[in-house]
């Protein structure tokens, strides 16, 4: 399986990194080895001095699909969750400045936290989901899916024109503002509609 990640999907986050607003979704992939095993601590890798948390709504693909029309995209997923796209920001900034791919800064081992899955039918409107990330019990990121530049179904349509989606693939739908550095002994917890779906300790 693969993790398909969307960058720059919330205007407030685009501003905080001084990025340009894209004409199309920014897409990158993390390998399946990036998934942090459940209940495991996150160890800051030695190749970076600046790992940022990016809390994101996740969507799990349930069947194979290619060139999916946005109006049928809802039939390709039943479950949503919340996770973290850990990013070695110092390395990413260096790679970006050289015009090089981001994979080393985004796809390293443990860089993808995947929370518990929730049936989408539990929510009345997937385009109005509140979510937040707490660091040491203080809210550091807060978002709502209504603020996405591209909604979940549009993202599925877009990415499936490039990558065949397969059962079990996970889409990371982008982060709102408030990304920040993590340090050893930090404790992160993510909530979707008031329900905690993951927690992770930083080492
Ligand atoms: Zn991200």
């Amino acid at each position: 399986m693969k993790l398909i990640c969307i960058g720059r999907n919330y205007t407030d986050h685009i501003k905080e990194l001084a990025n340009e607003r894209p004409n199309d979704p920014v897409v990158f992939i993390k390998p399946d080895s990036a998934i942090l095993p459940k209940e495991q601590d996150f160890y800051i890798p030695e190749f970076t001095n600046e790992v940022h948390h990016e809390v994101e709504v996740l969507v799990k693909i349930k069947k194979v699909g290619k060139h999916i029309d946005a109006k049928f995209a809802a039939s390709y997923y039943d479950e949503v969750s919340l996770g973290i796209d850990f990013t070695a920001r110092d390395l990413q900034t260096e790679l970006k400045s050289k015009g090089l791919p981001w994979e080393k800064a985004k796809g390293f081992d443990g860089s993808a936290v995947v929370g518990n899955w929730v049936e989408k039918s539990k929510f009345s409107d997937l385009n109005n989901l509140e979510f937040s990330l707490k660091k040491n019990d203080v809210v550091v990121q807060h978002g709502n899916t209504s603020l996405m530049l591209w909604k979940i179904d549009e993202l599925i349509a877009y990415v499936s024109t490039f990558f065949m989606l397969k059962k079990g693939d996970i889409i990371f739908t982008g982060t709102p503002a408030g990304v920040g550095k993590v340090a050893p002994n930090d404790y992160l917890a993510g909530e979707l509609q008031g329900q905690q779906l993951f927690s992770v300790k930083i080492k």
Side-chain angles (χ1 to χ4, degrees):
M1 54 87 69
K2 57 190 174 294
L3 311 174
I4 301 173
C5 306
I6 307 301
R8 303 179 199 169
N9 201 24
Y10 289 86
T11 307
D12 54 353
H13 173 61
I14 294 171
K15 283 188 192 146
E16 76 178 343
L17 291 188
N19 282 320
E20 279 176 40
R21 187 190 173 110
N23 294 321
D24 296 306
V26 173
V27 180
F28 60 94
I29 300 251
K30 290 181 192 254
D32 59 2
S33 49
I35 295 176
L36 185 69
K38 282 247 187 294
E39 313 300 330
Q40 201 162 297
D41 297 332
F42 174 81
Y43 283 80
I44 296 172
E46 72 288 348
F47 54 76
T48 173
N49 294 310
E50 191 187 18
V51 171
H52 277 189
H53 52 74
E54 295 190 355
V55 70
E56 314 200 357
V57 170
L58 312 183
V59 178
K60 190 200 280 179
I61 298 299
K62 69 166 185 178
K63 62 181 181 184
V64 71
K66 195 172 166 61
H67 292 292
I68 298 164
D69 196 303
K71 64 176 179 285
F72 302 121
S75 69
Y76 286 81
Y77 62 97
D78 284 335
E79 294 172 285
V80 297
S81 186
L82 201 63
I84 297 180
D85 164 23
F86 276 126
T87 303
R89 193 73 70 202
D90 48 356
L91 182 55
Q92 187 198 25
T93 302
E94 183 190 329
L95 293 167
K96 273 163 81 173
S97 73
K98 293 178 181 165
L100 293 171
W102 300 352
E103 271 79 357
K104 289 190 289 183
K106 285 282 199 182
F108 58 86
D109 295 350
S111 63
V113 174
V114 176
N116 298 327
W117 294 100
V118 183
E119 291 283 329
K120 70 177 182 188
S121 59
K122 295 260 194 287
F123 303 115
S124 56
D125 184 2
L126 292 179
N127 291 323
N128 187 19
L129 296 177
E130 289 278 328
F131 61 99
S132 64
L133 182 74
K134 284 181 184 166
K135 185 169 86 172
N136 307 325
D137 290 325
V138 176
V139 174
V140 286
Q141 284 194 271
H142 175 261
N144 187 296
T145 54
S146 65
L147 302 173
M148 287 178 165
L149 295 177
W150 288 276
K151 309 299 184 206
I152 291 171
D153 291 357
E154 293 169 324
L155 292 174
I156 287 175
Y158 185 75
V159 299
S160 72
T161 62
F162 298 92
F163 307 111
M164 181 191 292
L165 299 181
K166 291 184 165 179
K167 185 178 177 176
D169 287 350
I170 299 172
I171 301 180
F172 280 65
T173 60
T175 194
V179 302
K181 189 174 172 175
V182 296
N185 298 318
D186 280 346
Y187 179 78
L188 304 176
E191 284 187 6
L192 181 65
Q193 291 287 96
Q195 188 182 352
Q196 184 173 311
L197 298 184
F198 70 79
S199 65
V200 60
K201 186 152 199 213
I202 309 298
K203 296 272 184 147

